[in-house]
Amino acid sequence: MSASAMRPGRFRHFAAIDWSGAAGERHAGIAVALCRAGDAAPELVRPAHRWSRAEVRDWLAHDLPDATLVGMDLGISLPFADEGAFFPGWGDSPTDAPALWALIEQICQHEPHFGVSAFVDHDQLSAYFRRHGGREGAAFGGGRGRMRVAELAQQRMGCQPTSNFNLVGAAQVGKSSLSGMRVLHELRGHLPVWPVDPLPAHGSVACEIYTTIAAMAGGRSAGRSKIRQGAELDAALAALGSGPARHEGPIDDHRTDAILTAAWLRTVAHDPALWEPDGLTPAIARTEGWTFGAR
């Protein structure tokens, strides 16, 4: 389906998932927010619940409302375009994102809770990652690490993305992205992932989000993207044309990221330019994917 031909009202629901790559089964860092078309504030799904990654997978597979645009706050792939491969010099390097997801699952299939330690500690693949304890692989590339084309677009917007090959530091998203790729592998055939999969004419679709982009659209700066007060959340929601969430006092930024980004998705989902950003070629779509809203 051409983005320029996408019908108004194509999506009737909008969900945002703040993700976590932390060890263990259940995580305070996972939050799921959902809203309908209109202007009512998004609501947290199971607001008092401590989600596991498996429960999020099950919700996406079985409980997702019809025609939902789902934003997942994780990298859906690794850099490819800069070197012509995910793992240049390794003979078994996958050729596209679905094959990468399948490889991660194959190596980590016996690891519980969608963990990915077996992947990043793999005899050959560890050379491409920067890991804790000063362990920087020979193929990591130095500096901030390799970036996808979409991450370079994020950077031009004023964001500060980190390489998915970097597993060190508070801002790292490598392990959460890799664990998310295991989930995406299990959802193959249930939920298309744009732009790795073409945008279908009907039904639900998942995409990668970067919550800072939503916060900037809500009037926040990139350096002040995290919201931890209910009044600040309502102000950002109002900037997006949404009604207030009415959370009084402190609220953790995992929940505010999910709530605000769901509202942002509803506001911008029908903008054809976001489905056809500059720099997104068919080859990049299939290998690296893209961050919805990056351009």
Side-chain angles (χ1 to χ4, degrees):
M1 178 181 181
S2 168
S4 59
M6 190 169 69
R7 296 178 291 105
R10 159 71 178 82
F11 296 108
R12 295 196 295 275
H13 303 89
F14 305 86
I17 301 172
D18 201 42
W19 194 245
S20 173
E25 181 179 6
R26 298 186 179 276
H27 305 281
I30 296 178
V32 182
L34 179 69
C35 61
R36 296 176 179 270
D39 61 6
E43 296 183 357
L44 293 167
V45 179
R46 306 177 198 173
H49 185 67
R50 198 177 180 99
W51 288 85
S52 70
R53 286 183 282 265
E55 288 174 332
V56 175
R57 174 208 56 199
D58 293 344
W59 185 77
L60 290 170
H62 305 298
D63 299 324
L64 193 65
D66 184 52
T68 300
L69 176 60
V70 182
M72 302 183 72
D73 186 24
L74 54 91
I76 61 173
S77 190
L78 294 173
F80 187 102
D82 61 338
E83 299 281 355
F86 296 120
F87 308 107
W90 187 50
D92 293 326
S93 186
T95 57
D96 59 25
L100 172 65
W101 305 342
L103 176 67
I104 298 169
E105 178 59 30
Q106 175 190 339
I107 292 173
C108 301
Q109 60 184 305
H110 299 300
E111 195 166 341
H113 316 312
F114 290 100
V116 292
S117 294
F119 190 76
V120 301
D121 292 335
H122 185 273
D123 287 346
Q124 283 79 43
L125 296 171
S126 61
Y128 297 87
F129 291 93
R130 175 186 284 153
R131 296 176 291 161
H132 290 90
R135 296 174 296 166
E136 183 172 310
F140 177 75
R144 297 172 59 206
R146 296 168 58 199
M147 295 283 187
R148 295 183 297 153
V149 175
E151 289 153 0
L152 297 176
Q154 295 170 19
Q155 191 168 276
R156 290 193 296 272
M157 296 173 71
C159 301
Q160 296 181 325
T162 58
S163 171
N164 288 336
F165 283 115
N166 176 45
L167 310 177
V168 179
Q172 69 89 9
V173 294
K175 279 200 169 181
S176 62
S177 296
L178 294 169
S179 69
M181 292 179 213
R182 286 191 66 185
V183 171
L184 295 178
H185 173 75
E186 291 211 353
L187 290 171
R188 294 300 285 168
H190 293 281
L191 184 64
V193 179
W194 178 88
V196 174
D197 300 308
L199 183 65
H202 306 282
S204 297
V205 177
C207 66
E208 173 184 326
I209 54 173
Y210 186 22
T211 58
T212 297
I213 294 176
M216 292 168 67
R220 310 284 293 191
S221 67
R224 296 179 57 254
S225 64
K226 296 302 179 185
I227 297 174
R228 299 181 178 89
Q229 290 289 330
E232 293 184 359
L233 172 61
D234 284 348
L237 287 169
L240 293 173
S242 171
R246 303 188 190 282
H247 289 272
E248 295 185 5
I251 177 173
D252 71 72
D253 56 81
H254 305 295
R255 292 190 288 169
T256 59
D257 278 352
I259 292 169
L260 187 63
T261 307
W264 171 75
L265 285 171
R266 177 174 62 192
T267 300
V268 302
H270 308 305
D271 181 353
L274 296 188
W275 297 99
E276 298 175 342
D278 291 342
L280 178 58
T281 65
I284 289 173
R286 189 68 179 165
T287 54
E288 293 194 348
W290 198 262
T291 311
F292 188 71
R295 55 180 173 173

